[in-house]
Amino acid sequence: MTHSQLRPPTMADVARQAGVSHQTVSRVLGDHPNVRDETRAKVLRAIEEMGYRRNFSARALATRRTRTLGVVASNTTLYGPASTLFALEEAARAEGYLVSTVSLRRLTVETLSEALDRLSEGGVEGVIAIAPQRSAVEALAELRHPFPVVAVGTGSGAEVPSVNVDQNLGARLATGHLLAAGHRRVWHLAGPEDWQEAADRADGWRATLEEADVEPPMLLRGDWSPLSGYRAGQELAGWVGRGLTAVFVANDQMALGVLRALREAGVRTPQDVAVAGFDDIPESEFFAPPLTTVRQDFATVGKRSIALLLDLIEGRTPSGTSQVSIEPQLVVRASTFPYLPQSGAAPG
């Protein structure tokens, strides 16, 4: 076994192989502009042939930069938080950063404090917290930490730097679409009370109806699951023929449950009751019927969140509250085609 097989190749080994100096290899790795193309190609070829990998620990000691970001998350079995986490990891890698993730069952002052301490010990340069619950946002605002923190998914009113999809606007788009299709009233199945995003969607629904001089009907509430949607759908089915012709559901999983409950009750969608959801999960276009919904651009959420955090780390953005809002998009499918009221139907 040769000496090179006993240990991983070093930068000095690459320099010898390429016939250049150690400093030249460093410049190539740092993408320095003052390196001739021929020399750069020679170094890159040596790196590939030798299987060289940068020693980030040594680099961190020399530069005091770990190129590592922390992410604190909870509820990652749900589509929104899971998609946000994936987008953050993708965006961080694109910027040359590693991600260290701490998943918590619930975000409280105590659990967040422990998570931030653990990430601090790991040398992260900044942290992104996926914090959709009001209690989590309040906890973040209370804590002091030695690095910048950006919150994601907090909805409106966060007192920390944050990046959010405009949930209120998304609800307005869905509710306005149903009104424009001819429905006189739109019912709403909301998400859990502690989720600010659920509150923002309910506020957008209510405001759109009030602006159209429509009295908001009874609000139902679920827990984001298809089962809670199914149970709400059973209740909604009892209102068909008594003014119920359209429902805006706060997420697609609950909408799936609503659709099944209505179908089992003999209620047709969209002929009898139109249904719109929120999130545009990959399965939405394969529901029966395909679901009209509000699409959240999680890739943009990831990119903007990482960009804001890096700006804070580098001091390019003031450390005060910075709010980034991203517009959602309405995706119209067969579950809400234009409504034609039946003669003699009960008024909405």
Side-chain angles (χ1 to χ4, degrees), residues 325-347:
S325 181
I326 297 168
E327 289 193 6
Q329 175 188 357
L330 180 68
V331 180
V332 179
R333 299 193 179 105
S335 67
T336 62
F337 70 61
Y339 174 65
L340 299 175
Q342 304 295 315
S343 60

Side-chain angles (χ1 to χ4, degrees), residues 137-155:
V137 180
E138 292 166 0
L140 277 176
E142 286 184 32
L143 292 173
R144 298 294 175 264
H145 26 74
F147 38 62
V149 173
V150 170
V152 179
T154 59

Side-chain angles (χ1 to χ4, degrees), residues 184 241 245 268 271-272 339-347:
R184 296 182 61 185
T245 64
R268 300 169 301 167
Q271 294 91 333
D272 301 321
Y339 174 65
L340 299 175
Q342 304 295 315
S343 60

Side-chain angles (χ1 to χ4, degrees), residues 76-93:
T76 52
T77 57
L78 295 174
Y79 177 73
S83 300
T84 301
L85 177 58
F86 179 78
L88 290 170
E89 292 175 341
E90 288 277 289
R93 279 195 295 270

Side-chain angles (χ1 to χ4, degrees), residues 250-300:
N251 80 328
D252 291 352
Q253 284 96 341
M254 291 195 299
L256 176 62
V258 168
L259 288 170
R260 175 175 171 177
L262 293 177
R263 185 166 59 249
E264 289 181 354
V267 178
R268 300 169 301 167
T269 302
Q271 294 91 333
D272 301 321
V273 175
V275 177
F278 205 109
D279 281 339
D280 193 27
I281 64 175
E283 297 83 3
S284 294
E285 64 178 310
F286 300 102
F287 285 5
L291 184 68
T292 291
T293 184
V294 177
R295 177 178 297 160
Q296 303 193 72
D297 188 347
F298 292 109
T300 297

Side-chain angles (χ1 to χ4, degrees), residues 175-235:
T175 307
H177 164 71
L178 290 167
L179 291 176
H183 299 277
R184 296 182 61 185
R185 299 177 84 187
V186 178
W187 293 56
H188 182 45
L189 172 56
E193 287 189 76
D194 189 38
W195 286 60
Q196 185 60 47
E197 290 184 337
D200 288 347
R201 293 173 195 177
D203 287 346
W205 160 77
R206 187 178 296 106
T208 304
L209 293 183
E210 290 173 348
E211 289 165 7
D213 293 323
V214 176
E215 179 71 23
M218 176 179 63
L219 178 146
L220 284 74
R221 196 171 291 280
D223 62 8
W224 299 131
S225 71
L227 177 59
S228 69
Y230 178 75
R231 289 170 175 163
Q234 291 176 314
E235 182 175 353

Side-chain angles (χ1 to χ4, degrees), residues 7-8 122 135 178 257 310:
R7 60 169 175 77
S135 56
L178 290 167
L310 295 183

